[in-house]
């Protein structure tokens, strides 16, 4: 009996030592991991790593503007970046918010979060900043005082300010996407840039039948449509999603005008004016069709569309030329009812979490970017390196515009600034004036800006409960809608079934979704 007790005691001692060693090991492992992630005294700052920055650096701490802001404020920041895959990023964000183990600052697209930032204000995970901004953020306070309309966009329906926002500081920065066409093909065929639906039909038909690429084959693809853009559908006074008329929310894909739009797309598809493989055409295939001298018109960006393809074709085909066209109208001389115009506030903001023990220092660091010196740093970088002043104008140096290492301009800029994507600062129009180096890019933006855009929705915020209901409804509606749109266009479903299609969406709850958007718009208008 005594021997058994001795053995049992020995076993307990061994187990105790094992557990103690394991716990000590875990603790030291945690400390090691923590210390390797950054400065122990630094403010932890969680933010996605932009692709252009990620191509040349692993961490935002290498950006010239941030190095200088740290020197100016005396505040050190430890930037932490989630995986770059979008699914992984969203999953990690959700897990982080659910865990309660939060960094000091989180920069995120808050308009894409179900329930918005207000959800996390109510749960106490992020802090309300109204009083803090008044007391400790003189630069942002001044910006919001000068632009009360911006304050409305960055506030919740309750009037709470939850983050230091990314703001586009000029109308020129709000438009960057639209229809573009092969100008060299137009010139060869003696045609003008189309502005109406009828003129587009004439041009696309000529692209189809008159061999503008000159290879003796009927291999031209006149148009690759983008059914999620306002191009072409805007001519009928609607959008492909929610829009509003005098404060009343509507859903474009169920309006009578949508049937007219589908009839047009079906007719063009039937005539071979639309890419027969438009559903399966991704960026890689579009690149092949453009550089293969087959695609006549498509919808894209001034930078990654006109600028990108012009660069690719510079040596291959010196005659290659893309031109932006106005968003088409039904009648000649009309101003487009809707084009592309983003909101000043896109939802990107740096919030301060309830875990932050250095709120004043954090605000000091974030607020610096909204002052005169910080504004120049975040938009233009370091004077003498990334820009020089030329008669009062901050002009990018050759290190940016013609990088010695062959870096594209967006990557060269990323060494010094965040102006070519976003962040908590006010973006300067003088950045875009130089970023769009080709005159065709600048002209395209001017063409795309010719829209009334009164029907576009402002950045409304459904409540957490509304967001859950809205997501549930739209998951089903969007799957069904997209399938039916393609069937209508391809002729697999007759347009005589349009009313049946609308009733099916109503059965899925689209009317409830419209009411949710209406309630959110009403609250926004009362801010």
């Amino acid at each position: 009996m005594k021997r058994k007790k001795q053995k049992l005691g020995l076993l307990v001692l061994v187990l105790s030592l094992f557990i103690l060693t394991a716990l000590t090991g875990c603790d030291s492992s945690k400390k090691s991991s923590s210390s390797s992630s950054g400065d122990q005294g630094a403010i932890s700052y969680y933010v996605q790593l932009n692709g252009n920055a990620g191509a040349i650096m692993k961490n935002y701490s290498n950006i010239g503007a941030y190095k200088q802001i740290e020197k100016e404020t005396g505040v050190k920041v430890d930037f932490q970046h989630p995986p770059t895959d979008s699914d992984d990023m969203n999953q990690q964000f959700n897990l982080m918010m659910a865990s309660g183990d939060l960094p000091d600052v989180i920069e995120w697209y808050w308009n894409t979060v179900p329930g918005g930032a207000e959800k996390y204000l109510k749960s106490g995970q992020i802090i309300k900043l109204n009083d803090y901004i008044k007391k400790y953020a003189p630069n942002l306070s001044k910006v919001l005082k000068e632009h009360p309309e911006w304050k409305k966009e960055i506030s919740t329906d309750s009037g709470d300010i939850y983050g230091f926002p990314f703001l586009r500081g000029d109308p020129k920065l709000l438009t960057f996407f639209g229809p573009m066409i092969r100008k060299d093909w137009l010139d060869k065929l003696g045609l003008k840039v189309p502005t109406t639906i009828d003129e587009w039909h004439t041009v696309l038909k000529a692209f189809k039948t008159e061999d503008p690429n000159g290879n003796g084959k009927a291999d031209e693809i006149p148009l690759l449509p983008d059914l999620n853009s306002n191009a072409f559908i805007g001519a009928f006074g609607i959008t492909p999603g929610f829009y509003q008329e005098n404060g009343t929310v509507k859903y474009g894909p169920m309006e009578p005008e949508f049937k007219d739009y589908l009839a047009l797309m079906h007719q063009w598809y039937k005539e071979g004016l639309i890419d027969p493989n438009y559903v399966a055409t991704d960026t890689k295939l579009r690149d092949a069709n453009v550089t293969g001298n087959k695609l006549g018109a498509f919808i894209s960006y001034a930078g990654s569309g006109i600028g990108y393809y012009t660069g690719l074709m510079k040596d291959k085909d010196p005659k290659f030329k893309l031109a932006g066209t106005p968003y088409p109208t039904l009648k000649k001389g009309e101003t487009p009812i809707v084009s592309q115009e983003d909101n000043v506030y896109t939802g990107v903001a740096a919030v301060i979490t309830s875990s932050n023990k250095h709120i004043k220092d954090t605000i000091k660091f974030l607020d610096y970017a909204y002052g005169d010196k910080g504004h120049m740093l975040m938009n233009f970088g370091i004077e003498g390196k990334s820009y020089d002043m030329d008669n009062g104008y901050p002009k990018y140096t050759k290190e940016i515009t013609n990088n010695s290492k062959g870096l594209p301009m967006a990557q060269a800029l990323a060494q010094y600034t965040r102006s070519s994507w976003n962040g908590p600062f006010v973006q300067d129009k003088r950045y875009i004036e130089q970023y769009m180096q080709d005159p065709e890019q600048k002209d395209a933006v001017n063409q795309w800006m010719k829209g009334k855009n009164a029907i576009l929705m402002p950045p409304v915020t459904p409540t957490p409960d509304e967001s859950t209901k809205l997501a549930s409804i739209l998951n089903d509606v969007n799957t069904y809608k997209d399938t039916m749109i393609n069937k209508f266009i391809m002729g697999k479903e007759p347009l005589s079934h349009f009313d049946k299609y609308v009733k099916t969406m109503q059965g899925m709850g689209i009317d409830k979704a419209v009411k949710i958007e209406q309630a959110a718009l009403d609250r926004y208008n009362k801010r």
Side-chain angles (χ1 to χ4, degrees), residues 73-238:
T73 62
V75 179
K76 291 195 174 293
V77 172
D78 172 25
F79 289 102
Q80 302 170 356
H81 305 295
T84 54
D85 180 84
S86 59
D87 291 335
D88 287 345
M89 279 194 296
N90 290 327
Q91 185 179 26
Q92 184 168 330
F93 173 81
N94 291 330
L95 288 171
M96 176 179 68
M97 299 307 293
S99 73
D101 185 14
L102 302 177
D104 297 318
V105 176
I106 301 173
E107 183 184 320
W108 202 252
Y109 288 82
W110 295 100
N111 283 358
T112 67
V113 174
E118 191 161 16
K119 171 183 175 181
Y120 298 108
L121 282 170
K122 289 181 177 178
S123 69
Q125 289 166 286
I126 65 175
I127 65 172
K128 177 181 172 181
L129 295 176
N130 299 54
D131 292 338
Y132 284 109
I133 289 172
K134 285 180 184 177
K135 291 179 181 178
Y136 307 116
N139 296 319
L140 181 57
S141 293
K142 182 181 178 183
V143 167
L144 296 180
K145 186 176 181 180
E146 292 173 351
H147 300 277
E149 71 280 10
W150 293 0
K151 185 176 180 180
K152 182 177 179 178
E153 288 198 23
I154 70 167
S155 300
T156 67
D157 293 328
S158 304
D160 297 336
I161 298 175
Y162 54 86
F164 284 77
F166 172 60
L167 297 164
R168 291 182 171 135
D170 190 88
K172 284 186 177 181
L173 295 161
L174 305 181
T175 300
F176 40 80
F177 182 84
M180 54 189 66
I181 200 164
R182 285 291 296 270
K183 182 65 166 58
D184 52 322
W185 285 14
L186 291 176
D187 294 341
K188 183 177 180 178
L189 300 178
L191 298 168
K192 293 182 179 180
V193 171
T195 60
T196 67
I197 295 294
D198 287 342
E199 289 175 354
W200 268 94
H201 182 261
T202 299
V203 165
L204 295 177
K205 200 166 184 180
F207 283 180
K208 177 71 176 175
T209 60
E210 297 183 27
D211 192 29
N213 66 12
N215 67 356
K217 301 176 183 178
D219 59 351
E220 288 86 355
I221 301 168
L223 172 67
L224 174 63
D226 182 342
L227 303 181
N228 293 314
S229 79
N230 292 329
F232 301 105
I233 191 175
F236 298 90
I238 59 176

Side-chain angles (χ1 to χ4, degrees), residues 28 33 42 84 103 124 148-149 223 225 237 266 386 399 423 491:
S28 63
S33 172
T84 54
E149 71 280 10
L223 172 67
H266 169 63
S386 56
E399 174 65 17

Side-chain angles (χ1 to χ4, degrees), residues 48-60:
Q48 296 178 32
L49 181 64
N50 173 266
N52 286 312
I56 57 173
M57 66 182 71
K58 293 183 179 180
N59 195 281
Y60 280 178

